[in-house]
Amino acid sequence: AVYLAESGGGSVEAGGALRLSCETREYTSRMGWFRQAPGKGREGVASISTDGMLPLYADSVKGRFTISAVNANAKNTVYLQMNDLKSEDTGMYYCAAGSAASLLERYFDYWGQGTQVTVSS
């Protein structure tokens, strides 16, 4: 199993920024971030290989969010820098681990418990 520890959520005004972090000490080749807004399904936001290659972004966040990965001290850490946040970015953000360069849930086998992001307009 892969255990994921997320941090960095919070509340911010529109136009602001937040950075999410997720780390694991188990091996995984791919990590990503998904989000779920109230009353909606979960959607892929960004994913990246744990060697820092092949970042993918949802169209709705391109140019505003940046995903990065660091492999050091026997752990993988993935960051999601979120700039120019909008009210529609509000939701529960989940870190996930998988093995495919994808933003589809079915390619991710392990999930964190989520961290809330709230953007007020």
Side-chain angles (χ1 to χ4, degrees):
V2 175
Y3 297 96
L4 302 165
E6 302 141 324
S7 61
S11 297
V12 65
E13 292 186 353
L18 286 172
R19 189 175 82 154
L20 306 182
S21 300
C22 176
E23 67 176 44
T24 179
R25 292 190 176 273
E26 289 77 33
Y27 173 76
T28 180
S29 61
R30 192 85 183 170
M31 294 176 73
W33 288 96
F34 291 73
R35 67 186 180 190
Q36 187 167 21
K40 295 188 177 181
R42 193 154 55 183
E43 63 173 348
V45 175
S47 72
I48 192 167
S49 296
T50 51
D51 61 3
M53 302 296 286
L54 297 175
L56 295 177
Y57 297 95
D59 287 344
S60 60
V61 306
K62 283 180 181 177
R64 299 188 298 121
F65 291 12
T66 302
I67 191 168
S68 58
V70 174
N71 186 326
N73 301 320
K75 63 183 179 181
N76 291 311
T77 305
V78 64
Y79 300 98
L80 186 67
Q81 178 65 43
M82 305 185 293
N83 296 330
D84 190 24
L85 282 160
K86 304 177 180 181
S87 57
E88 52 262 44
D89 295 317
T90 293
M92 185 69 76
Y93 282 68
Y94 297 91
C95 179
S99 57
S102 174
L103 293 179
L104 299 177
E105 283 189 67
R106 63 177 178 265
Y107 293 111
F108 290 81
D109 303 308
Y110 302 98
W111 296 83
Q113 294 195 342
T115 185
Q116 178 68 35
V117 171
T118 302
V119 184
S120 58
S121 57

